Amino acid sequence: MTALLVVLGAAVGAPLRYLTDRFIQSRHDSVFPWGTMAVNVAGSFVLGLVVGLPASGPVTALVGTGFCGALTTYSTFSYETLRLTQEGFRFYAAANITASIVAGLGAGVLGLMIAQALTG
């Protein structure tokens, strides 16, 4: 049952990641991977909420592992950072690393803090 919940969450998260990334990236005239950063930060926030709420195992599997796991993408982050470096955009590569880590951790902490405040 848990595996099915993970699959169901991923079935929503993966297409949402792709569509969100393409939507955001199409609105920026920049080599910086704004779409990937947006989905990774959003996923970190949602995962922080899930971890901070008294969620059951099935909810954690569905939303945390399935949805957030498919919504976020470390492999694309890595690929895009390497591509920026290879194409000579070293500043953007360093900015991508720094901003993604800081924003992702910040979003996760913010989600956790909001969940804890809600459950008081």
Side-chain angles (χ1 to χ4, degrees):
M1 184 62 173
T2 301
L4 179 60
L5 291 170
V6 171
V7 169
L8 290 173
V12 174
L16 184 60
R17 172 177 54 88
Y18 175 77
L19 294 171
T20 302
D21 176 51
R22 295 295 87 208
F23 176 79
I24 292 172
Q25 204 60 38
S26 72
R27 279 148 178 73
H28 292 279
D29 188 25
S30 170
V31 295
F32 191 83
W34 291 107
T36 299
M37 180 149 69
V39 295
N40 285 343
V41 170
S44 295
F45 176 77
V46 172
L47 188 57
L49 282 173
V50 170
V51 169
L53 292 172
S56 65
V59 170
T60 301
L62 175 72
V63 179
T65 305
F67 177 75
C68 290
L71 178 67
T72 61
T73 172
Y74 189 79
S75 59
T76 303
F77 160 73
S78 299
Y79 165 76
E80 289 172 344
T81 303
L82 290 173
R83 182 184 48 79
L84 287 168
T85 302
Q86 290 172 336
E87 293 177 3
F89 299 108
R90 287 179 175 78
F91 172 79
Y92 285 118
N96 189 37
I97 292 166
T98 304
S100 293
I101 290 171
V102 170
L105 287 173
V109 169
L110 181 62
L112 182 62
M113 290 172 59
I114 289 172
Q116 288 174 342
L118 292 172
T119 59

